[in-house]
Amino acid sequence: MDSPSPRAAAAGKRQRLTAATARVLHEQGVERTTIADIARAADVPAGNVYYYFKTKDELVEAALAEHSGYLTSLTHRLDQLADPRERLKGLIATWVGQRDTAARFGCPTGTLAVELDKRTEGGLDLAAGQVIRQLLDWVEQQYRQLGVADPDGRALALVGAYQGMSLLANALRDPEIMTREGARLACELDGLT
Amino acid sequence: MDSPSPRAAAAGKRQRLTAATARVLHEQGVERTTIADIARAADVPAGNVYYYFKTKDELVEAALAEHSGYLTSLTHRLDQLADPRERLKGLIATWVGQRDTAARFGCPTGTLAVELDKRTEGGLDLAAGQVIRQLLDWVEQQYRQLGVADPDGRALALVGAYQGMSLLANALRDPEIMTREGARLACELDGLT
DNA sequence: GTCTATATTTAGATAGAC
DNA sequence: GTCTATCTAAATATAGAC
C-alpha cells in the first residue's frame, strides 16, 4: 500500500514504539532511558509518544508484553520437536546463540526484573517475574514429560543457570561463558535417565 | 570516649556513609537512590555528604569496596576450615542464610553489576564485575585444591547458580528457592569424587 | 568541619496550535 | 492525528555563611 490508512499508520507507530522500547530498555536500562531515547529509536517525534502511551510505565509494560510474546513464539516453535529433551536442548542452543548480546546487555527479562524489583511503587515491581514464571512453567512441563523426578526443581535449576550465566557473561563481558555453561547444561540433559 | 576528636568523628561519618550507601543501593538500586536518601540512612545532614564524597559515583565506588571487603572477610573465615569441600559448603550455607534478603533485594553485588553494566560512561560499568571475579577466583582455588577437573568451569557453574537463584528468588519473591537450590548445590559437592 | 540556600540540569508530562 | 513549546518536579552539585 502506498498510503496506509491513518489507523494502520497509528498501529505501525505503536508497534515501532513497543519494539524500540524493548530494545532500548535492554541496552540502557529502565532508569537511564528517557522518552526521548525511545522516540529517537522508534523514529517517532518526541512530543508524539504521549499520544500512544500515557506514561513511561505504560511503555515498560508494553516492552514486557513484547518479551512475553517472544517467549511464546519461541516455545511454540520448540514444541514442534517430538522429544522434550530436544526441546530443552533447543532452548539452550537459543541462549548460546544470543551470547554476544547477553555478554553486552544481559538477559532482557532478567535485567528488567532486577531493575523493576527495586521499585516499591507503580505496580510493575513483580511484572518481569511473571515473564520468568512463564518460562519456568514451560521448562517444568518438558521435564514432566520426560518423566524425571522433581520437575519444578529442575526447571528452577535450568532457568537459574541461564540467568546466572547471563549475569556473569555480562558482568565479565565474556560471551564464551554462555558457550561453556550451555555445553555443560546440554551434557547434564543427556545424562538424565 | 565522650568527645571523639574531630578527625575520629569525620572517619566515623565517612564509614557510616559508606555502610549506608551499600545498604541503600542494594535496597533501592543506584538510579533510584538520591544523595538525600543516603544522608538520611547514614544520619548525616544532606548538604554535608559532599564534604566526604565529591560525587555520587564516589559513593558507589565506596559501596563496591565495602562489598569486596565483606567478601574478603567471609572467605578468610571460611579458609579456617581444613577441607576445601567444607569451605564451599560453608559458602553455600551463607548464601542460604541470607535468603530473605535475597528474595527481597537480590544479591548485592549481582544487582549492582546489572545496573552498572548498563552504563557507558563514568568508568564504573565493569567495577562490580571485579568483585564477582574475586569470588570466582576464590571458588576456583577451592576446586583446584579438591583436585577435580575443570576448576574454573566449576567455579563459573557455582557462582552462576548463586546469581541465578538470587535473581529468581528476588523476581518471584520466594526465599525457598534459595533453600532448594542450596541443597542441590551441596548435594552436587558431596557427589564429587 | 558543618550546614543552608541555591544554581544547574534534566526528564516526565501537558496544553494547545495546526 | 501530529508536533512545538513549555510547565513542573526532582536531583546533582556548588557557593559561601557560620
Side-chain angles (χ1 to χ4, degrees):
Chain A
M1 314 264 210
D2 286 342
S3 309
S5 69
R7 174 165 297 184
K13 279 199 184 178
R14 206 189 152 83
Q15 176 50 35
R16 284 216 309 282
L17 279 167
T18 301
T21 303
R23 189 173 68 252
V24 178
L25 291 188
H26 182 208
E27 296 177 358
Q28 306 189 343
V30 177
E31 306 297 342
R32 295 183 78 84
T33 295
T34 67
I35 304 278
D37 290 335
I38 293 171
R40 197 178 321 114
D43 197 29
V44 168
N48 203 342
V49 175
Y50 285 100
Y51 178 75
Y52 296 95
F53 296 91
K54 276 194 285 294
T55 63
K56 186 178 175 181
D57 274 6
E58 280 190 14
L59 282 161
V60 175
E61 272 190 274
L64 276 167
E66 187 90 344
H67 290 308
S68 175
Y70 165 77
L71 193 53
T72 300
S73 83
L74 171 64
T75 51
H76 281 181
R77 214 176 324 131
L78 293 170
D79 280 334
Q80 305 304 309
L81 298 168
D83 180 10
R85 192 189 310 256
E86 289 308 311
R87 289 183 210 135
L88 291 173
K89 288 171 86 168
L91 178 65
I92 294 168
T94 304
W95 292 339
V96 174
Q98 295 163 344
R99 62 186 172 281
D100 289 328
T101 311
R104 187 56 197 82
F105 303 115
C107 165
T109 308
T111 58
L112 207 43
V114 169
E115 274 198 285
L116 296 179
D117 283 332
K118 300 297 186 192
R119 295 186 170 196
T120 54
E121 58 200 359
L124 285 178
D125 53 328
L126 300 176
Q130 290 172 17
V131 181
I132 292 178
R133 166 61 65 196
Q134 178 187 348
L135 176 59
L136 276 170
D137 287 344
W138 183 85
V139 170
E140 180 180 340
Q141 284 308 313
Q142 309 314 309
Y143 280 117
R144 210 173 281 282
Q145 288 177 32
L146 273 174
V148 296
D150 193 23
D152 67 325
R154 287 182 197 274
L156 278 176
L158 184 62
V159 176
Y162 166 56
Q163 289 299 336
M165 74 198 203
S166 298
L167 192 148
L168 292 185
N170 184 217
L172 304 176
R173 291 285 195 279
D174 180 3
E176 288 316 301
I177 289 175
M178 301 291 289
T179 312
R180 295 175 71 180
E181 281 287 285
R184 186 181 63 79
L185 294 171
C187 249
E188 273 186 21
L189 270 180
D190 279 327
L192 276 186
T193 48
Chain B
M1 313 262 216
D2 285 344
S3 309
S5 70
R7 175 165 298 187
K13 278 200 185 179
R14 205 189 152 83
Q15 176 50 35
R16 283 216 310 282
L17 279 167
T18 301
T21 302
R23 188 173 69 252
V24 177
L25 291 188
H26 182 209
E27 295 177 358
Q28 305 189 345
V30 177
E31 307 297 341
R32 297 183 76 86
T33 295
T34 68
I35 304 279
D37 289 335
I38 293 171
R40 196 178 322 116
D43 198 28
V44 167
N48 204 342
V49 175
Y50 285 99
Y51 177 76
Y52 296 95
F53 296 92
K54 275 194 286 295
T55 63
K56 186 178 174 181
D57 274 6
E58 280 190 16
L59 282 161
V60 175
E61 272 191 274
L64 276 167
E66 186 91 343
H67 291 308
S68 174
Y70 165 77
L71 194 53
T72 299
S73 84
L74 171 62
T75 52
H76 281 182
R77 215 176 324 132
L78 292 170
D79 280 334
Q80 306 305 308
L81 297 168
D83 180 10
R85 191 189 309 257
E86 289 307 312
R87 291 184 209 133
L88 290 173
K89 289 172 85 167
L91 178 64
I92 294 168
T94 304
W95 292 339
V96 174
Q98 294 162 346
R99 62 187 173 280
D100 289 327
T101 311
R104 187 56 195 82
F105 302 116
C107 164
T109 308
T111 57
L112 206 45
V114 168
E115 273 197 286
L116 296 179
D117 283 332
K118 299 296 186 193
R119 294 187 171 196
T120 54
E121 59 200 358
L124 285 178
D125 51 329
L126 300 177
Q130 290 172 18
V131 182
I132 292 178
R133 167 60 65 196
Q134 178 187 348
L135 176 60
L136 276 170
D137 287 343
W138 183 84
V139 170
E140 179 181 341
Q141 284 309 313
Q142 310 314 308
Y143 280 118
R144 209 173 282 282
Q145 288 176 33
L146 273 175
V148 296
D150 192 24
D152 67 325
R154 287 182 197 274
L156 278 176
L158 184 62
V159 176
Y162 165 55
Q163 290 299 336
M165 74 198 203
S166 298
L167 192 148
L168 292 184
N170 184 217
L172 303 177
R173 291 285 194 281
D174 179 5
E176 289 316 303
I177 289 176
M178 302 290 290
T179 312
R180 294 175 69 181
E181 282 286 284
R184 186 181 63 81
L185 294 171
C187 249
E188 272 186 22
L189 270 179
D190 280 326
L192 277 185
T193 47

